[in-house]
Amino acid sequence: MKRLFDVTCAFAAIVLFAPLFVCLALLVRLNLGSPVLFRQIRPGKDAQPFQLIKFRTMNDLRGTDGELLPDKQRQTSLGRFLRSSSLDELPEVYNVLKGDMSFVGPRPLLMEYLPYYSAVQARRHEVRPGITGYAQVMGRNAIIWEEKFEHDVWYVDNHSLWLDITILFTTILKVVRRDDINASSELTMPKFKGSEDTV
């Protein structure tokens, strides 16, 4: 039932938001250049890697040492808008259609985090990752990693179609209100290096 719900909603979203996809792609191309899409390997269900796609939100400015500048210096006003409005996540609908992701589930994080999870935290990979999830409606980037993982595991143990629909509607409200966008003054969450009891 969950997969049928995902596929149906993904097809509907592609048709409904096609003009928005095109407009955003053009804006990204004009402001940030090519490529329009950001691609990165992330762990999916059972921690199997897949290629996540999003709209690009940063330029490729580098320092004198040839290294990319910090995120805060590379993100443009368009990029900040795309992130705060979550519009950069729209291409992930394609990941849902492919079966890599679900509309609702634990957010797919970085491959480099896998060795740092405790056995309980690693259970977040028992379901498909989501465009949004229970942790996102419970605090997004305003809560610490351990709380996020607790919410993720709770979702794994309690997920249902009705819960997914509730999370989707709550997500829309939070996006409109711009709730819990960043952790303190950071552009994104600090990298996860393991909990005290796992390092």
Side-chain angles (χ1 to χ4, degrees), residues 113-125 146 149 153 192 194-199:
Y113 293 173
L114 291 177
Y116 296 113
Y117 295 135
S118 68
V120 172
Q121 291 168 347
R123 293 193 58 226
R124 68 193 308 277
H125 297 295
E146 286 74 16
F149 298 144
V153 174
F192 178 63
S195 303
E196 290 185 4
D197 57 348
T198 61
V199 296

PDB file of all heavy atoms in Angstrom, residues 113-125 146 149 153 192 194-199:
ATOM      1  N   TYR A 113      28.594   8.456   7.253  1.00  0.00           N
ATOM      2  CA  TYR A 113      28.053   8.316   8.604  1.00  0.00           C
ATOM      3  C   TYR A 113      27.845   6.852   9.009  1.00  0.00           C
ATOM      4  O   TYR A 113      27.714   6.553  10.199  1.00  0.00           O
ATOM      5  CB  TYR A 113      26.703   9.032   8.726  1.00  0.00           C
ATOM      6  CG  TYR A 113      26.739  10.542   8.612  1.00  0.00           C
ATOM      7  CD1 TYR A 113      25.563  11.266   8.565  1.00  0.00           C
ATOM      8  CD2 TYR A 113      27.941  11.237   8.563  1.00  0.00           C
ATOM      9  CE1 TYR A 113      25.572  12.652   8.461  1.00  0.00           C
ATOM     10  CE2 TYR A 113      27.965  12.615   8.453  1.00  0.00           C
ATOM     11  CZ  TYR A 113      26.784  13.322   8.400  1.00  0.00           C
ATOM     12  OH  TYR A 113      26.794  14.695   8.293  1.00  0.00           O
ATOM     13  N   LEU A 114      27.768   5.959   8.039  1.00  0.00           N
ATOM     14  CA  LEU A 114      27.393   4.565   8.327  1.00  0.00           C
ATOM     15  C   LEU A 114      28.211   3.917   9.446  1.00  0.00           C
ATOM     16  O   LEU A 114      27.636   3.249  10.306  1.00  0.00           O
ATOM     17  CB  LEU A 114      27.476   3.723   7.052  1.00  0.00           C
ATOM     18  CG  LEU A 114      26.427   4.034   5.974  1.00  0.00           C
ATOM     19  CD1 LEU A 114      26.667   3.162   4.733  1.00  0.00           C
ATOM     20  CD2 LEU A 114      25.022   3.800   6.499  1.00  0.00           C
ATOM     21  N   PRO A 115      29.541   4.091   9.494  1.00  0.00           N
ATOM     22  CA  PRO A 115      30.307   3.426  10.556  1.00  0.00           C
ATOM     23  C   PRO A 115      30.035   3.978  11.953  1.00  0.00           C
ATOM     24  O   PRO A 115      30.395   3.344  12.950  1.00  0.00           O
ATOM     25  CB  PRO A 115      31.765   3.687  10.157  1.00  0.00           C
ATOM     26  CG  PRO A 115      31.731   4.081   8.723  1.00  0.00           C
ATOM     27  CD  PRO A 115      30.428   4.778   8.537  1.00  0.00           C
ATOM     28  N   TYR A 116      29.425   5.153  12.035  1.00  0.00           N
ATOM     29  CA  TYR A 116      29.234   5.811  13.325  1.00  0.00           C
ATOM     30  C   TYR A 116      27.915   5.473  14.012  1.00  0.00           C
ATOM     31  O   TYR A 116      27.726   5.802  15.177  1.00  0.00           O
ATOM     32  CB  TYR A 116      29.321   7.335  13.164  1.00  0.00           C
ATOM     33  CG  TYR A 116      30.679   7.818  12.708  1.00  0.00           C
ATOM     34  CD1 TYR A 116      30.832   8.403  11.449  1.00  0.00           C
ATOM     35  CD2 TYR A 116      31.798   7.694  13.520  1.00  0.00           C
ATOM     36  CE1 TYR A 116      32.069   8.861  11.025  1.00  0.00           C
ATOM     37  CE2 TYR A 116      33.042   8.144  13.113  1.00  0.00           C
ATOM     38  CZ  TYR A 116      33.173   8.723  11.849  1.00  0.00           C
ATOM     39  OH  TYR A 116      34.401   9.163  11.432  1.00  0.00           O
ATOM     40  N   TYR A 117      26.989   4.823  13.301  1.00  0.00           N
ATOM     41  CA  TYR A 117      25.699   4.518  13.910  1.00  0.00           C
ATOM     42  C   TYR A 117      25.811   3.411  14.941  1.00  0.00           C
ATOM     43  O   TYR A 117      26.550   2.433  14.758  1.00  0.00           O
ATOM     44  CB  TYR A 117      24.688   4.064  12.849  1.00  0.00           C
ATOM     45  CG  TYR A 117      24.302   5.114  11.833  1.00  0.00           C
ATOM     46  CD1 TYR A 117      24.236   4.805  10.476  1.00  0.00           C
ATOM     47  CD2 TYR A 117      23.989   6.408  12.215  1.00  0.00           C
ATOM     48  CE1 TYR A 117      23.888   5.757   9.536  1.00  0.00           C
ATOM     49  CE2 TYR A 117      23.637   7.369  11.285  1.00  0.00           C
ATOM     50  CZ  TYR A 117      23.587   7.037   9.949  1.00  0.00           C
ATOM     51  OH  TYR A 117      23.236   7.984   9.028  1.00  0.00           O
ATOM     52  N   SER A 118      25.050   3.540  16.015  1.00  0.00           N
ATOM     53  CA  SER A 118      24.893   2.418  16.938  1.00  0.00           C
ATOM     54  C   SER A 118      23.970   1.403  16.268  1.00  0.00           C
ATOM     55  O   SER A 118      23.351   1.699  15.223  1.00  0.00           O
ATOM     56  CB  SER A 118      24.270   2.897  18.256  1.00  0.00           C
ATOM     57  OG  SER A 118      22.920   3.311  18.038  1.00  0.00           O
ATOM     58  N   ALA A 119      23.853   0.222  16.848  1.00  0.00           N
ATOM     59  CA  ALA A 119      22.978  -0.803  16.271  1.00  0.00           C
ATOM     60  C   ALA A 119      21.536  -0.314  16.201  1.00  0.00           C
ATOM     61  O   ALA A 119      20.824  -0.587  15.231  1.00  0.00           O
ATOM     62  CB  ALA A 119      23.071  -2.085  17.101  1.00  0.00           C
ATOM     63  N   VAL A 120      21.110   0.441  17.210  1.00  0.00           N
ATOM     64  CA  VAL A 120      19.742   0.962  17.219  1.00  0.00           C
ATOM     65  C   VAL A 120      19.591   2.047  16.167  1.00  0.00           C
ATOM     66  O   VAL A 120      18.623   2.051  15.397  1.00  0.00           O
ATOM     67  CB  VAL A 120      19.372   1.512  18.613  1.00  0.00           C
ATOM     68  CG1 VAL A 120      18.023   2.222  18.569  1.00  0.00           C
ATOM     69  CG2 VAL A 120      19.338   0.383  19.636  1.00  0.00           C
ATOM     70  N   GLN A 121      20.530   2.982  16.095  1.00  0.00           N
ATOM     71  CA  GLN A 121      20.455   4.063  15.114  1.00  0.00           C
ATOM     72  C   GLN A 121      20.450   3.533  13.683  1.00  0.00           C
ATOM     73  O   GLN A 121      19.780   4.074  12.804  1.00  0.00           O
ATOM     74  CB  GLN A 121      21.616   5.030  15.306  1.00  0.00           C
ATOM     75  CG  GLN A 121      21.530   5.835  16.590  1.00  0.00           C
ATOM     76  CD  GLN A 121      22.815   6.580  16.910  1.00  0.00           C
ATOM     77  OE1 GLN A 121      23.870   6.323  16.319  1.00  0.00           O
ATOM     78  NE2 GLN A 121      22.744   7.516  17.849  1.00  0.00           N
ATOM     79  N   ALA A 122      21.176   2.442  13.444  1.00  0.00           N
ATOM     80  CA  ALA A 122      21.262   1.861  12.104  1.00  0.00           C
ATOM     81  C   ALA A 122      19.924   1.294  11.636  1.00  0.00           C
ATOM     82  O   ALA A 122      19.735   1.058  10.438  1.00  0.00           O
ATOM     83  CB  ALA A 122      22.336   0.778  12.066  1.00  0.00           C
ATOM     84  N   ARG A 123      18.984   1.099  12.552  1.00  0.00           N
ATOM     85  CA  ARG A 123      17.666   0.574  12.176  1.00  0.00           C
ATOM     86  C   ARG A 123      16.891   1.548  11.299  1.00  0.00           C
ATOM     87  O   ARG A 123      15.897   1.166  10.685  1.00  0.00           O
ATOM     88  CB  ARG A 123      16.849   0.236  13.430  1.00  0.00           C
ATOM     89  CG  ARG A 123      17.414  -0.920  14.244  1.00  0.00           C
ATOM     90  CD  ARG A 123      16.401  -1.402  15.282  1.00  0.00           C
ATOM     91  NE  ARG A 123      15.171  -1.800  14.626  1.00  0.00           N
ATOM     92  CZ  ARG A 123      13.949  -1.445  15.040  1.00  0.00           C
ATOM     93  NH1 ARG A 123      13.800  -0.670  16.104  1.00  0.00           N
ATOM     94  NH2 ARG A 123      12.878  -1.847  14.386  1.00  0.00           N
ATOM     95  N   ARG A 124      17.335   2.798  11.214  1.00  0.00           N
ATOM     96  CA  ARG A 124      16.682   3.773  10.343  1.00  0.00           C
ATOM     97  C   ARG A 124      16.721   3.320   8.885  1.00  0.00           C
ATOM     98  O   ARG A 124      15.949   3.794   8.063  1.00  0.00           O
ATOM     99  CB  ARG A 124      17.331   5.154  10.510  1.00  0.00           C
ATOM    100  CG  ARG A 124      18.758   5.238   9.990  1.00  0.00           C
ATOM    101  CD  ARG A 124      19.467   6.509  10.460  1.00  0.00           C
ATOM    102  NE  ARG A 124      18.714   7.716  10.182  1.00  0.00           N
ATOM    103  CZ  ARG A 124      18.725   8.336   9.009  1.00  0.00           C
ATOM    104  NH1 ARG A 124      19.414   7.845   8.004  1.00  0.00           N
ATOM    105  NH2 ARG A 124      18.033   9.438   8.842  1.00  0.00           N
ATOM    106  N   HIS A 125      17.629   2.379   8.574  1.00  0.00           N
ATOM    107  CA  HIS A 125      17.753   1.876   7.200  1.00  0.00           C
ATOM    108  C   HIS A 125      16.865   0.660   6.916  1.00  0.00           C
ATOM    109  O   HIS A 125      16.979   0.064   5.852  1.00  0.00           O
ATOM    110  CB  HIS A 125      19.211   1.533   6.899  1.00  0.00           C
ATOM    111  CG  HIS A 125      20.130   2.720   6.959  1.00  0.00           C
ATOM    112  ND1 HIS A 125      20.036   3.780   6.088  1.00  0.00           N
ATOM    113  CD2 HIS A 125      21.141   3.023   7.807  1.00  0.00           C
ATOM    114  CE1 HIS A 125      20.959   4.678   6.382  1.00  0.00           C
ATOM    115  NE2 HIS A 125      21.636   4.248   7.420  1.00  0.00           N
ATOM    116  N   GLU A 146      21.108  12.826  17.900  1.00  0.00           N
ATOM    117  CA  GLU A 146      20.551  11.710  18.663  1.00  0.00           C
ATOM    118  C   GLU A 146      19.023  11.750  18.690  1.00  0.00           C
ATOM    119  O   GLU A 146      18.363  10.700  18.596  1.00  0.00           O
ATOM    120  CB  GLU A 146      21.109  11.711  20.093  1.00  0.00           C
ATOM    121  CG  GLU A 146      22.564  11.250  20.208  1.00  0.00           C
ATOM    122  CD  GLU A 146      23.554  12.288  19.702  1.00  0.00           C
ATOM    123  OE1 GLU A 146      23.157  13.474  19.550  1.00  0.00           O
ATOM    124  OE2 GLU A 146      24.716  11.931  19.442  1.00  0.00           O
ATOM    125  N   PHE A 149      17.676  10.579  15.297  1.00  0.00           N
ATOM    126  CA  PHE A 149      17.719   9.130  15.127  1.00  0.00           C
ATOM    127  C   PHE A 149      16.661   8.431  15.971  1.00  0.00           C
ATOM    128  O   PHE A 149      16.116   7.398  15.562  1.00  0.00           O
ATOM    129  CB  PHE A 149      19.115   8.602  15.459  1.00  0.00           C
ATOM    130  CG  PHE A 149      20.194   9.150  14.544  1.00  0.00           C
ATOM    131  CD1 PHE A 149      21.460   9.430  15.023  1.00  0.00           C
ATOM    132  CD2 PHE A 149      19.930   9.385  13.200  1.00  0.00           C
ATOM    133  CE1 PHE A 149      22.438   9.938  14.185  1.00  0.00           C
ATOM    134  CE2 PHE A 149      20.900   9.889  12.351  1.00  0.00           C
ATOM    135  CZ  PHE A 149      22.165  10.161  12.845  1.00  0.00           C
ATOM    136  N   VAL A 153      13.891   5.943  14.284  1.00  0.00           N
ATOM    137  CA  VAL A 153      13.633   4.562  14.713  1.00  0.00           C
ATOM    138  C   VAL A 153      12.184   4.411  15.167  1.00  0.00           C
ATOM    139  O   VAL A 153      11.550   3.382  14.920  1.00  0.00           O
ATOM    140  CB  VAL A 153      14.623   4.145  15.822  1.00  0.00           C
ATOM    141  CG1 VAL A 153      14.263   2.765  16.373  1.00  0.00           C
ATOM    142  CG2 VAL A 153      16.053   4.139  15.282  1.00  0.00           C
ATOM    143  N   PHE A 192      27.811  14.380  11.551  1.00  0.00           N
ATOM    144  CA  PHE A 192      27.632  13.388  12.612  1.00  0.00           C
ATOM    145  C   PHE A 192      28.921  12.594  12.763  1.00  0.00           C
ATOM    146  O   PHE A 192      29.439  12.029  11.788  1.00  0.00           O
ATOM    147  CB  PHE A 192      26.474  12.445  12.261  1.00  0.00           C
ATOM    148  CG  PHE A 192      26.247  11.359  13.265  1.00  0.00           C
ATOM    149  CD1 PHE A 192      25.873  11.661  14.572  1.00  0.00           C
ATOM    150  CD2 PHE A 192      26.403  10.023  12.914  1.00  0.00           C
ATOM    151  CE1 PHE A 192      25.647  10.652  15.510  1.00  0.00           C
ATOM    152  CE2 PHE A 192      26.188   9.016  13.851  1.00  0.00           C
ATOM    153  CZ  PHE A 192      25.812   9.332  15.144  1.00  0.00           C
ATOM    154  N   GLY A 194      29.214  10.338  15.496  1.00  0.00           N
ATOM    155  CA  GLY A 194      28.925   9.278  16.432  1.00  0.00           C
ATOM    156  C   GLY A 194      28.447   9.809  17.764  1.00  0.00           C
ATOM    157  O   GLY A 194      28.807  10.917  18.175  1.00  0.00           O
ATOM    158  N   SER A 195      27.618   9.030  18.445  1.00  0.00           N
ATOM    159  CA  SER A 195      27.168   9.385  19.788  1.00  0.00           C
ATOM    160  C   SER A 195      28.226   8.976  20.787  1.00  0.00           C
ATOM    161  O   SER A 195      29.097   8.160  20.504  1.00  0.00           O
ATOM    162  CB  SER A 195      25.834   8.677  20.104  1.00  0.00           C
ATOM    163  OG  SER A 195      24.859   9.011  19.124  1.00  0.00           O
ATOM    164  N   GLU A 196      28.138   9.547  21.986  1.00  0.00           N
ATOM    165  CA  GLU A 196      29.150   9.273  22.998  1.00  0.00           C
ATOM    166  C   GLU A 196      29.277   7.793  23.310  1.00  0.00           C
ATOM    167  O   GLU A 196      30.375   7.299  23.604  1.00  0.00           O
ATOM    168  CB  GLU A 196      28.841  10.057  24.280  1.00  0.00           C
ATOM    169  CG  GLU A 196      29.054  11.561  24.141  1.00  0.00           C
ATOM    170  CD  GLU A 196      28.864  12.288  25.448  1.00  0.00           C
ATOM    171  OE1 GLU A 196      28.638  11.597  26.476  1.00  0.00           O
ATOM    172  OE2 GLU A 196      28.969  13.526  25.470  1.00  0.00           O
ATOM    173  N   ASP A 197      28.163   7.083  23.249  1.00  0.00           N
ATOM    174  CA  ASP A 197      28.202   5.657  23.607  1.00  0.00           C
ATOM    175  C   ASP A 197      28.578   4.786  22.422  1.00  0.00           C
ATOM    176  O   ASP A 197      28.635   3.560  22.530  1.00  0.00           O
ATOM    177  CB  ASP A 197      26.852   5.198  24.174  1.00  0.00           C
ATOM    178  CG  ASP A 197      25.701   5.439  23.211  1.00  0.00           C
ATOM    179  OD1 ASP A 197      25.910   6.169  22.214  1.00  0.00           O
ATOM    180  OD2 ASP A 197      24.615   4.897  23.459  1.00  0.00           O
ATOM    181  N   THR A 198      28.889   5.403  21.248  1.00  0.00           N
ATOM    182  CA  THR A 198      29.259   4.593  20.079  1.00  0.00           C
ATOM    183  C   THR A 198      30.637   4.959  19.558  1.00  0.00           C
ATOM    184  O   THR A 198      31.094   4.409  18.577  1.00  0.00           O
ATOM    185  CB  THR A 198      28.247   4.786  18.939  1.00  0.00           C
ATOM    186  OG1 THR A 198      28.241   6.161  18.536  1.00  0.00           O
ATOM    187  CG2 THR A 198      26.866   4.360  19.359  1.00  0.00           C
ATOM    188  N   VAL A 199      31.320   5.929  20.197  1.00  0.00           N
ATOM    189  CA  VAL A 199      32.655   6.341  19.741  1.00  0.00           C
ATOM    190  C   VAL A 199      33.689   6.037  20.807  1.00  0.00           C
ATOM    191  O   VAL A 199      33.354   5.702  21.923  1.00  0.00           O
ATOM    192  CB  VAL A 199      32.676   7.862  19.410  1.00  0.00           C
ATOM    193  CG1 VAL A 199      31.750   8.140  18.261  1.00  0.00           C
ATOM    194  CG2 VAL A 199      32.293   8.713  20.593  1.00  0.00           C
TER     195      VAL A 199
END
